Amino acid sequence: QVQLVESGGGLVQAGESLRLSCEISGNIFNVDSMGWYRQGQGKQREFVASILRGGVKNYVDAAKGRFTISRDNAKTTLYLQMNGLQPEDTGVYFCVVRIPNQPGYWGQGTQVTVSS
């Protein structure tokens, strides 16, 4: 089992920054990827960013140049630095850990609200 707890969300104005954290515990050996998704009100959950086993990072186009995904060396904390936030970035942000042959493990989410 793997447990994930997100934090760092909040209410900010357009143009400001937030840093989300995801504390990961449990059996985290052989992690294939870690990532962030978000879900706006009335919308489907969508991919934001991921970091793969070898360190390759992927971003949704809307996040490129503004968001940075990272993790600590022990791979027990995942981060998402978000700069230049816009109202369309508003939503609940979830972290996810994927391990081969297991279902994805998700956190409970942290709310990000960006006012214009």
Side-chain angles (χ1 to χ4, degrees):
Q1 287 291 330
V2 177
Q3 295 79 43
L4 295 85
V5 179
E6 301 97 334
S7 62
L11 172 63
V12 297
Q13 294 187 337
E16 293 184 339
S17 300
L18 281 174
R19 189 193 196 201
L20 305 183
S21 299
C22 176
E23 297 290 336
I24 305 167
S25 60
N27 187 358
I28 56 173
F29 296 105
N30 201 29
V31 170
D32 206 25
S33 68
M34 301 176 175
W36 290 94
Y37 282 68
R38 67 186 178 193
Q39 187 167 17
Q41 191 169 7
K43 299 181 180 180
Q44 290 189 334
R45 192 171 299 188
E46 63 175 356
F47 169 79
V48 176
S50 67
I51 183 166
L52 306 183
R53 182 192 300 268
V56 174
K57 300 178 182 180
N58 295 300
Y59 298 92
V60 68
D61 285 347
K64 291 178 181 177
R66 298 189 300 130
F67 293 5
T68 302
I69 188 171
S70 63
R71 64 188 177 198
D72 68 346
N73 288 336
K75 303 179 183 178
T76 58
T77 306
L78 183 69
Y79 302 100
L80 185 68
Q81 176 67 43
M82 305 187 293
N83 299 328
L85 284 162
Q86 299 299 317
E88 52 266 35
D89 295 316
T90 293
V92 180
Y93 283 68
F94 301 88
C95 62
V96 59
V97 168
R98 302 193 189 276
I99 297 172
N101 303 315
Q102 296 187 32
Y105 294 96
W106 295 82
Q108 82 291 344
T110 185
Q111 177 70 46
V112 172
T113 303
V114 185
S115 64
S116 57

PDB file of all heavy atoms in Angstrom, residues 8 15 21 25 29 49 101 115:
ATOM      1  N   GLY A   8      -0.358  22.490   0.334  1.00  0.00           N
ATOM      2  CA  GLY A   8       0.185  23.655  -0.334  1.00  0.00           C
ATOM      3  C   GLY A   8      -0.794  24.439  -1.188  1.00  0.00           C
ATOM      4  O   GLY A   8      -0.448  25.493  -1.709  1.00  0.00           O
ATOM      5  N   GLY A  15      -1.191  35.562 -11.469  1.00  0.00           N
ATOM      6  CA  GLY A  15       0.205  35.968 -11.548  1.00  0.00           C
ATOM      7  C   GLY A  15       1.051  35.506 -10.375  1.00  0.00           C
ATOM      8  O   GLY A  15       2.288  35.542 -10.463  1.00  0.00           O
ATOM      9  N   SER A  21       2.986  20.188  -2.437  1.00  0.00           N
ATOM     10  CA  SER A  21       3.791  19.068  -1.977  1.00  0.00           C
ATOM     11  C   SER A  21       2.925  17.829  -1.863  1.00  0.00           C
ATOM     12  O   SER A  21       1.727  17.928  -1.585  1.00  0.00           O
ATOM     13  CB  SER A  21       4.417  19.363  -0.609  1.00  0.00           C
ATOM     14  OG  SER A  21       5.277  20.476  -0.667  1.00  0.00           O
ATOM     15  N   SER A  25       4.238   7.751   1.394  1.00  0.00           N
ATOM     16  CA  SER A  25       4.708   6.755   2.352  1.00  0.00           C
ATOM     17  C   SER A  25       4.186   5.382   1.954  1.00  0.00           C
ATOM     18  O   SER A  25       3.279   5.254   1.142  1.00  0.00           O
ATOM     19  CB  SER A  25       4.253   7.121   3.761  1.00  0.00           C
ATOM     20  OG  SER A  25       2.845   7.172   3.832  1.00  0.00           O
ATOM     21  N   PHE A  29       8.826   1.118  -3.344  1.00  0.00           N
ATOM     22  CA  PHE A  29       9.872   0.552  -4.174  1.00  0.00           C
ATOM     23  C   PHE A  29       9.328   0.319  -5.576  1.00  0.00           C
ATOM     24  O   PHE A  29       8.161   0.040  -5.769  1.00  0.00           O
ATOM     25  CB  PHE A  29      10.369  -0.758  -3.569  1.00  0.00           C
ATOM     26  CG  PHE A  29      11.010  -0.599  -2.231  1.00  0.00           C
ATOM     27  CD1 PHE A  29      10.334  -0.979  -1.076  1.00  0.00           C
ATOM     28  CD2 PHE A  29      12.275  -0.048  -2.105  1.00  0.00           C
ATOM     29  CE1 PHE A  29      10.920  -0.815   0.166  1.00  0.00           C
ATOM     30  CE2 PHE A  29      12.862   0.117  -0.863  1.00  0.00           C
ATOM     31  CZ  PHE A  29      12.184  -0.268   0.273  1.00  0.00           C
ATOM     32  N   ALA A  49       1.419  17.162 -14.966  1.00  0.00           N
ATOM     33  CA  ALA A  49       2.857  16.927 -15.085  1.00  0.00           C
ATOM     34  C   ALA A  49       3.197  15.567 -14.513  1.00  0.00           C
ATOM     35  O   ALA A  49       2.475  15.057 -13.654  1.00  0.00           O
ATOM     36  CB  ALA A  49       3.649  18.014 -14.368  1.00  0.00           C
ATOM     37  N   ASN A 101       2.075  -3.222 -12.336  1.00  0.00           N
ATOM     38  CA  ASN A 101       1.185  -4.300 -11.903  1.00  0.00           C
ATOM     39  C   ASN A 101       0.352  -3.943 -10.675  1.00  0.00           C
ATOM     40  O   ASN A 101      -0.182  -4.831 -10.004  1.00  0.00           O
ATOM     41  CB  ASN A 101       1.971  -5.580 -11.623  1.00  0.00           C
ATOM     42  CG  ASN A 101       2.767  -6.035 -12.841  1.00  0.00           C
ATOM     43  OD1 ASN A 101       2.258  -6.047 -13.959  1.00  0.00           O
ATOM     44  ND2 ASN A 101       4.031  -6.361 -12.633  1.00  0.00           N
ATOM     45  N   SER A 115      -7.775  33.804  -8.338  1.00  0.00           N
ATOM     46  CA  SER A 115      -8.731  34.866  -8.639  1.00  0.00           C
ATOM     47  C   SER A 115      -8.140  35.819  -9.668  1.00  0.00           C
ATOM     48  O   SER A 115      -6.935  36.020  -9.739  1.00  0.00           O
ATOM     49  CB  SER A 115      -9.105  35.616  -7.368  1.00  0.00           C
ATOM     50  OG  SER A 115      -7.964  36.265  -6.838  1.00  0.00           O
TER      51      SER A 115
END
